[in-house]
């Protein structure tokens, strides 16, 4: 797929004069992408790609999941992540921090206290 095969438009919502623009709308004309994976031709390395618990794609290039551990690192490398948002108030584990550093991934932590 070529990057120039679709257009992305960014338009700001209309706001009264003098007010700040708070929302942006992104419209994307992109071809359909087949996310089907054929496991019949997978190698043993492919079978070791374990996503974190509750992993899902939110939007193109944006994912969500439960907390990853070292078993998930190979899978996360395939996503070519540039940043991770961590919502727990606890310090990020050293093994995970090293993984982020070695893969050029930025960590943004917003510690949110949870009440169950």
């Amino acid at each position: 797929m070529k990057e120039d095969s679709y257009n992305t438009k960014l338009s700001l919502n209309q706001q009264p004069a003098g007010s700040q623009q708070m929302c942006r709308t992104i419209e994307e004309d992109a071809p359909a992408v087949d996310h089907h994976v054929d496991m019949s031709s997978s190698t043993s390395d492919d079978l070791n790609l374990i996503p974190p618990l509750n992993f899902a794609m939110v939007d193109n290039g944006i994912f969500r999941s439960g907390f990853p551990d070292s078993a998930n690192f190979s899978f996360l490398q395939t996503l070519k992540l540039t940043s991770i948002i961590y919502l727990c108030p606890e310090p990020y584990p050293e093994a995970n921090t090293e993984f982020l550093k070695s893969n050029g991934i930025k960590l943004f932590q917003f510690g949110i206290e949870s009440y169950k």
Side-chain angles (χ1 to χ4, degrees), residues 15-82:
Q15 299 289 330
S19 69
Q20 292 189 5
Q21 296 170 340
M22 298 297 285
C23 297
R24 288 185 277 207
T25 303
I26 298 176
E27 299 173 16
E28 186 172 5
D29 299 326
V33 177
D34 181 14
H35 293 286
H36 178 265
V37 177
D38 181 9
M39 295 303 285
S40 63
S41 64
S42 297
T43 66
S44 62
D45 290 339
D46 292 338
L47 298 177
N48 291 327
L49 300 178
I50 303 167
L53 293 175
N54 298 318
F55 178 84
M57 180 184 281
V58 175
D59 202 351
N60 191 18
I62 300 173
F63 310 95
R64 65 146 174 97
S65 76
F67 192 80
D69 61 23
S70 58
N72 310 126
F73 291 169
S74 294
F75 174 80
L76 294 175
Q77 284 177 316
T78 67
L79 302 176
K80 308 251 189 276
L81 300 174
T82 58

Side-chain angles (χ1 to χ4, degrees), residues 70-101:
S70 58
N72 310 126
F73 291 169
S74 294
F75 174 80
L76 294 175
Q77 284 177 316
T78 67
L79 302 176
K80 308 251 189 276
L81 300 174
T82 58
S83 58
I84 289 180
I85 298 174
Y86 177 56
L87 301 178
C88 297
E90 297 82 23
Y92 207 62
E94 186 63 31
N96 291 46
T97 301
E98 290 302 318
F99 169 76
L100 297 183
K101 286 179 184 176

